[in-house]
Amino acid sequence: MTRGARAPANNRQKVMAELGYSQGWGVVAGATRISSVGQAGLRYRGYDIAKLAETVCFEEVLHLLVYGELPTRRQLAFLRDTLMEFRRLPRPVVDVLRSIPTDTDLMDVLRTTVSLLGHYDPTHGDTPDDLRRRSIWLTASIASLIAARHRFVNRLEPLDPQPGLAHAEELLFQLHGETPDEEAARLIDLTLILYAEHDFNASTFTARVIASTRSDLVSAIVGAIGALKGPLHGGANERAMEMLAQFHTPDDAAAFITRALERKDKVMGFGHRVYRNGDHRAEILEAALRRHAETAGAAKWMAIYDAIKTPMVTEKGIHPNLDFPCALTYHLLNLPVDLYTPLFVASRVAGWCAHVIEQVEEDKLYRPLSAYVGEPPRPVPPMSAR
Ligand code: COA
């Protein structure tokens, strides 16, 4: 590299390759017992995601991730009671939820109010057992924050939690004020299960890095929310729906995708760093979505969905990730787009908390090295020579 020249991106890649480094992917950054992610399958603590999606509910997954095992009947009942105990938001947090300007991105509202919530934490302590209980408090509270804010934006007052409802049902009840139908609750529950954990993704890694400094649980979760917001990560489900919503017919969608592929545009809800031949979670949700679309008379939407998916897979070899079927699932459940990434938070908080606990147990500071590709050593020029 000549003196004074900045390393262009492709040169940076070359230098990194020569040094034997990858640029932030494909590097093992640590060990985990929480989940395994790979083309061969996704497992939460050894259990296949397809089997979990078929047989358990989100609360059981929450227990599995945070406590390490699926709950017994008694443990599940206790967990549900604890969630219920923590659903009610502190008054000062409700006041701030009401006062933030209505056009503020809901992810920004969540980031602020989760941070604020930390000042009113009814649970205490930083031992792994304390953190497990605090994980349940955060999971319950985050669902309530999302629902309360949604109601304020729509000029409605937040609702009191309803005892006896499962977490997905409670979430829908607090949003809409009606007992949700079984099919809607089951679909929301499925998305919560599928989004709950995904090893060292960007937001989880953020949470672990924060936890590794012996900071606190709430700081780790606030940082993770910031990381999840980006459209290359959790924000993709909202961008995917904004894309789908532009089309009136499958032909419109097909024309759009031809242009996008020609221009090498990134299509939201497609591609994955780890899954190169398809995302298992997307396949599970897509099957449920197809069944729902059939009964809901939404064949047009599935045709638009397929008009995007088919050329992406056949011409580009790029498969949908979970965000693509999730976007349409939420849309068919009449949920507004600004709730999509916050609903991802409502689920992934379980995985984030599990990772924070694991990191606290390990008690090792993350401090990666970088490969320096900048200017060679040079003298500091005097002001007159710059
Ligand atoms: N749409 C169109 N092309 C895509 C694509 C997408 N969503 N994802 C990857 N590609 C293309 C790249 O442009 C590249 O093409 P090229 O070889 O012709 O240059 C090729 O596929 C390889 O992509 P690469 O950049 O190696 O993928 P990545 O691992 O860096 O990217 C993502 C992974 C997730 C960042 C990327 O797929 C993406 O931006 N997806 C959209 C956002 C999204 O859905 N995020 C949620 C992820 S769960």
Side-chain angles (χ1 to χ4, degrees):
M1 199 192 318
T2 53
R3 252 190 90 193
R6 211 167 258 193
N10 55 0
N11 191 29
R12 273 208 298 275
Q13 274 165 14
K14 196 166 148 248
V15 174
M16 295 281 284
E18 279 166 10
L19 291 169
Y21 294 109
S22 308
Q23 285 195 331
W25 68 85
V27 177
V28 173
T32 182
R33 279 179 229 93
I34 301 167
S35 69
S36 55
V37 178
Q39 202 57 67
L42 165 63
R43 288 174 185 272
Y44 293 171
R45 297 207 183 265
Y47 295 116
D48 180 28
I49 188 65
K51 273 279 163 260
L52 289 172
E54 229 176 86
T55 52
V56 307
C57 65
F58 173 70
E59 291 91 314
E60 289 169 273
V61 166
L62 172 64
H63 194 284
L64 174 66
L65 295 173
V66 170
Y67 291 90
E69 292 296 344
L70 286 167
T72 61
R73 204 180 295 277
R74 263 187 62 199
Q75 286 169 332
L76 179 60
F78 181 71
L79 175 66
R80 286 201 162 131
D81 287 348
T82 314
L83 281 165
M84 186 61 205
E85 180 192 332
F86 291 138
R87 285 195 207 288
R88 207 175 287 274
L89 297 170
R91 176 53 51 192
V93 175
V94 175
D95 291 344
V96 169
L97 276 174
R98 191 195 303 270
S99 65
I100 295 173
T102 48
D103 59 354
T104 309
D105 188 307
L106 188 39
M107 286 297 282
D108 295 340
V109 175
L110 259 191
R111 187 199 58 222
T112 301
T113 52
V114 169
S115 181
L116 180 65
L117 195 69
H119 305 308
Y120 304 93
D121 184 351
T123 60
H124 299 282
D126 288 309
T127 68
D129 275 342
D130 297 332
L131 292 175
R132 287 186 181 97
R133 187 164 161 79
R134 296 177 70 202
S135 305
I136 309 309
W137 159 69
L138 271 172
T139 306
S141 307
I142 283 176
S144 298
L145 285 175
I146 295 168
R149 174 65 183 179
H150 169 75
R151 291 185 68 82
F152 281 136
V153 168
N154 289 285
R155 297 168 187 276
L156 297 163
E157 284 300 303
L159 295 163
D160 286 338
Q162 280 282 98
L165 295 183
H167 193 63
E169 291 172 329
E170 179 68 42
L171 190 48
L172 285 170
F173 173 80
Q174 284 197 37
L175 285 168
H176 303 312
E178 296 161 5
T179 309
D181 75 67
E182 226 176 274
E183 167 79 353
R186 178 58 202 149
L187 279 169
I188 291 294
D189 192 56
L190 180 58
T191 63
L192 293 176
I193 292 169
L194 296 173
Y195 267 142
E197 160 57 13
H198 220 215
D199 87 348
F200 279 37
N201 59 84
S203 56
T204 302
F205 192 57
T206 303
R208 287 194 76 126
V209 170
I210 294 172
S212 83
T213 69
R214 294 194 187 167
S215 181
D216 65 289
L217 176 68
V218 173
S219 297
I221 301 307
V222 169
I225 291 172
L228 190 81
K229 176 187 169 190
L232 294 188
H233 191 9
N237 60 8
E238 296 186 5
R239 300 292 103 72
M241 192 59 227
E242 284 159 8
M243 170 185 70
L244 286 166
Q246 303 169 58
F247 312 125
H248 297 292
T249 67
D251 287 347
D252 293 345
F256 167 91
I257 212 70
T258 305
R259 280 196 310 277
L261 291 182
E262 277 166 11
R263 288 199 305 247
K264 288 184 165 272
D265 290 345
K266 282 269 164 84
V267 180
M268 293 293 131
F270 282 82
H272 199 274
R273 273 284 161 81
V274 182
Y275 302 126
R276 295 299 182 173
N277 303 317
D279 175 339
H280 311 283
R281 305 165 304 166
E283 288 159 20
I284 295 166
L285 186 59
E286 188 183 293
L289 168 64
R290 281 193 198 284
R291 286 193 297 273
H292 176 70
E294 214 174 297
T295 52
K300 182 199 96 176
W301 277 112
M302 282 321 296
I304 289 174
Y305 177 101
D306 286 329
I308 302 276
K309 179 187 164 185
T310 306
M312 284 298 286
V313 174
T314 55
E315 288 171 36
K316 260 311 242 189
I318 300 174
H319 296 257
N321 57 55
L322 178 56
D323 294 318
F324 193 57
C326 193
L328 189 53
T329 303
Y330 287 159
H331 178 74
L332 296 186
L333 294 177
N334 295 320
L335 294 169
V337 175
D338 65 335
L339 285 179
Y340 295 9
T341 315
L343 288 173
F344 192 159
V345 175
S347 161
R348 183 58 60 85
V349 63
W352 291 336
C353 288
H355 278 273
V356 169
I357 295 164
E358 191 175 66
Q359 190 64 46
V360 165
E361 285 171 333
E362 271 169 30
D363 196 22
K364 280 275 183 299
L365 176 72
Y366 270 107
R367 196 347 184 152
L369 299 174
S370 62
Y372 179 69
V373 295
E375 301 293 343
R378 51 185 177 153
V380 177
M383 183 63 85
S384 58
R386 289 177 217 163

